[in-house]
Amino acid sequence: MRIGILTAGGDCPGLNAVIRAVVRCASADNNEVLGFRNGYLGLFENDFELLTRVGVTGILPRGGTILGTSRFDPEKDEQSIPRIKEVWEMHRLSGLIVVGGEGSLSAARDLCRDHALQIVGVPKTIDNDICGTDYTFGFDTAVSTVTDAVDRLHSTAESHHRVMICEVMGRHSGWIAAYGGIAGGADIILVPEHPFRISRVCDLLKQRKDQGRAFSIIVVAEDAHPHPDEDFLTKEQGAAIYRHDRLGGIGEALADEIERCTNLHTRVTKLGYVQRGGSPSAFDRILATRFGVKAYELVRAGQWGQMTALRGTRIVGVPLEAAVGELKRLDEEIYRVAEVFFG
Ligand code: F6P
């Protein structure tokens, strides 16, 4: 059997652990693994490398992906799918493992359903926003990075009696903000699922000051929005912050508004891509390894159109159809826990 594997979309810690696990399982069965470079683009350009057991030695703790990645969308260009089928036939692939986020897994679902390509999906993203799995790998490492940053911001905020805003990633869901904020002891956490009232944010900050706590930490998700009743963003600011392809900037706008309304000195740290980098946590290494082993089992069993998933403590296969299409928003129970510590 010859299997293909590719990593597509934004990178995250743990991708190499999946690649290693698939190669280790396949080589134990004397099966070949071709690694296509830079996501679906590698399949389109026939850019690949043979992955061997020796070749994947030492990659488990490495961040990023040894295969490279891109946001190339095979469905955008009419010529992509015939070309991908041609490359597939050229290598006589028995199946393909796509390690991707929402967008890449939606493409995998379509290629499998509409073009009869034999694909198994593996969910990855720091955002933890994929339905069908309790957690994606990459998330735990990103949360540790945010927690560490919030811990560090505490000491400088306290020394300078400032409000510190930490803007984090997460796309349209508030998982990273809520988990990182709870773990770091943030005083206010703003997430896309709950549009915030600027008056309440300022009241909480003033209340903390009046109670003798002259510093505050706010964790804000990149897609958090002001409540429409109290929207302080201009049309231009809104358009710049909530761009479809690249979110970011709500922290700065929020800081300006807080200073204007409260006179409290406010500073912003946009954590950005450090959240995606670095060595995976032990949890992410284990989850990614378990996903890789399961993905290989699904391929061997010919269970196409499935995605590996964590359900409770078990790794299972779930239909790609059920896993993509809708984003997994922040769990309300988690938000209620976060709210207990506001102010
Ligand atoms: O999906 C992961 C993620 O890091 C999001 O949190 C963020 O909004 C986006 O990717 C950034 O994407 P890009 O790498 O294209 O700038």
Side-chain angles (χ1 to χ4, degrees), residues 71 125-127 169-171 222 246 273 276:
R71 295 199 184 274
T125 168
I126 62 165
D127 304 334
M169 284 185 164
R171 237 177 15 138
E222 60 185 357
R246 199 182 300 171
Y273 294 91
R276 290 228 305 251

Side-chain angles (χ1 to χ4, degrees), residues 9-12 71 101 124-127 129 168-172 176 222 244-247 272-273 275-276:
D11 73 337
C12 74
R71 295 199 184 274
K124 63 87 219 177
T125 168
I126 62 165
D127 304 334
D129 61 355
V168 301
M169 284 185 164
R171 237 177 15 138
H172 308 304
I176 297 178
E222 60 185 357
H244 176 68
D245 59 337
R246 199 182 300 171
L247 294 157
Y273 294 91
Q275 294 162 94
R276 290 228 305 251

Side-chain angles (χ1 to χ4, degrees), residues 2 41 49 80 112 125 134 137 178 212 217 237 255 266 278 282 319 324:
R2 184 178 291 143
L41 189 64
E49 62 189 279
S80 302
C112 195
T125 168
D134 292 351
F137 64 84
I217 307 282
Q237 275 178 314
T266 307
V324 297

